[in-house]
């Protein structure tokens, strides 16, 4: 399954706390080992504050590992599909919906 992972730095109380959080996340990132199940297709960052990764995995639990490892960030994971796969699945849903009895006069 493909996912888009978005992250944003969590707000901190003071400049010193922010600097300490940045230092800690660099330490964590330097030692982190990416699970073999994760394939990162794109890894980009907005200048100064947040970023996105397009990745793929057959092990959703590895996404939870990723979130736990990088807890200093607020992380959102969104499942994604290829557009042609979405388009192929839509007619089935539309057909089912169109087969429902009409409740409007």
């Amino acid at each position: 399954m493909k996912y888009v992972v978005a992250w944003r730095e969590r707000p901190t109380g003071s400049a010193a706390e922010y600097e300490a959080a940045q230092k800690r996340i660099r330490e964590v990132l330097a030692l982190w080992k990416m699970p073999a199940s994760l394939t990162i297709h794109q890894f980009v960052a907005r200048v100064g504050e947040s970023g996105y990764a397009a990745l793929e995995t057959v092990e959703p639990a590895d996404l939870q590992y990723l979130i736990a490892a990088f807890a200093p960030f607020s992380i959102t994971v969104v499942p994604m599909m290829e557009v042609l796969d979405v388009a192929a699945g839509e007619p089935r849903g539309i057909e089912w919906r169109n087969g429902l009895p009409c409740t409007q006069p």
Side-chain angles (χ1 to χ4, degrees):
M1 183 88 180
K2 294 180 180 182
Y3 301 87
V4 170
V5 176
W7 73 91
R8 177 177 293 281
E9 293 182 13
R10 292 186 190 273
T12 57
S14 69
E17 289 171 333
Y18 181 76
E19 289 175 2
Q22 283 188 318
K23 180 177 184 275
R24 178 63 178 146
I25 202 63
R26 283 192 308 273
E27 292 169 353
V28 169
L29 189 57
L31 299 173
W32 181 65
K33 301 294 183 208
M34 185 170 72
S37 78
L38 294 179
T39 300
I40 296 177
H41 296 289
Q42 192 162 25
F43 195 41
V44 295
R46 289 179 55 190
V47 176
E49 65 176 41
S50 60
Y52 304 89
L55 58 87
E56 195 167 349
T57 185
V58 294
E59 295 293 336
D62 285 341
L63 289 173
Q64 185 59 42
Y65 161 76
L66 178 76
I67 292 166
F70 293 99
F73 291 104
S74 174
I75 298 174
T76 303
V77 177
V78 179
M80 305 299 279
M81 292 177 61
E82 294 289 335
V83 170
L84 293 178
D85 294 336
V86 170
E90 284 182 349
R92 189 171 131 219
I94 293 168
E95 182 180 331
W96 176 84
R97 183 185 64 224
N98 289 342
L100 294 175
C102 184
T103 58
Q104 301 287 326

